[in-house]
Amino acid sequence: MVNLSTKERMLLEDEKSHEQLCVDKYNEYSNKAHCPELKNLFSQLAQKEQQHLDSINQLLNGIVPNINQQPGGQQNNSNQQLVNQQFINQSPINFGTNAYNEHDKMLCNDSLSTEKFISSTYNTAIFEFRDKNIRQVLNHIQKEEQEHGEKIYNYMASHGMYQVQ
C-alpha cells in the first residue's frame, strides 16, 4: 500500500480526468469517424486509455499496478498489428493524396493535440512522485500516450492529412 502526498493525489486525480476524457472521446470518435480504418484505430485507443484509467485508479487506491502483466502486452500488440494490416489490405476504400474526409481530419487533429497535451502532463507528474515504482508506471503510460500520437500521425500521413515539409 502506497501512501500518497496531497500533491501526488492531486496530480493523479488530474490524470484520471484526462484519461476519462480520452476514453469518452475515442469512443465517441470511433462512432463519428467515416473511415472504417479510423473507427478501428479510435476503438483500439479507447481500450488502451481505459487500461490507463484503471492503472490511475489503482494508484489512487494505494496499489502500484504491475505494468509488465497488463493486458495488451507485446504478443497481443503484434497480433493487433497483423489484424490492422489485414484490415487495411481488405479495405475497398482507396485513399489518395488529399482524398480524405474533412470531418475525419478534424477528429484526428483534435486527437493528436490531446495526446500531445496528455503526454506533457505525465512528464510533469513523473518528476513530482517520490516512489520510483509509481514513476515507472507513469512513465509507461506516457510512453503509450506517445505511441497513440504516433499511430494517429501515421494514419494522417498515410491519408494525406498531415504533410511534413
Side-chain angles (χ1 to χ4, degrees), residues 49-136:
E49 298 294 0
Q50 182 62 56
Q51 290 174 8
H52 296 170
L53 180 59
D54 294 344
S55 293
I56 296 299
N57 281 324
Q58 285 180 323
L59 290 171
L60 284 166
N61 290 323
I63 300 166
V64 179
N66 185 345
I67 55 177
N68 297 321
Q69 294 182 351
Q70 287 188 341
Q74 193 65 18
Q75 183 180 1
N76 189 17
N77 197 13
S78 297
N79 290 341
Q80 190 58 55
Q81 289 174 352
L82 179 62
V83 169
N84 288 346
Q85 192 57 46
Q86 289 171 345
F87 178 79
I88 292 167
N89 291 341
Q90 293 174 359
S91 177
I93 301 170
N94 182 13
F95 290 100
T97 303
N98 296 329
Y100 54 81
N101 179 283
E102 284 294 330
H103 181 72
D104 283 358
K105 181 180 179 181
M106 185 277 304
L107 297 177
C108 288
N109 278 325
D110 182 60
S111 298
L112 187 56
S113 294
T114 299
E115 291 297 346
K116 290 175 184 179
F117 171 73
I118 300 296
S119 179
S120 71
T121 65
Y122 276 106
N123 189 59
T124 299
I126 289 166
F127 288 101
E128 298 293 337
F129 280 80
R130 299 169 291 175
D131 186 283
K132 180 179 181 172
N133 294 320
I134 294 176
R135 287 194 309 269
Q136 288 176 341

Side-chain angles (χ1 to χ4, degrees), residues 5-22:
S5 71
T6 302
K7 185 171 190 175
E8 290 170 334
R9 183 165 292 285
M10 189 175 69
L11 288 165
L12 287 175
E13 289 290 347
D14 283 348
E15 296 302 347
K16 179 181 176 177
S17 68
H18 298 154
E19 293 297 349
Q20 185 63 61
L21 175 66
C22 287

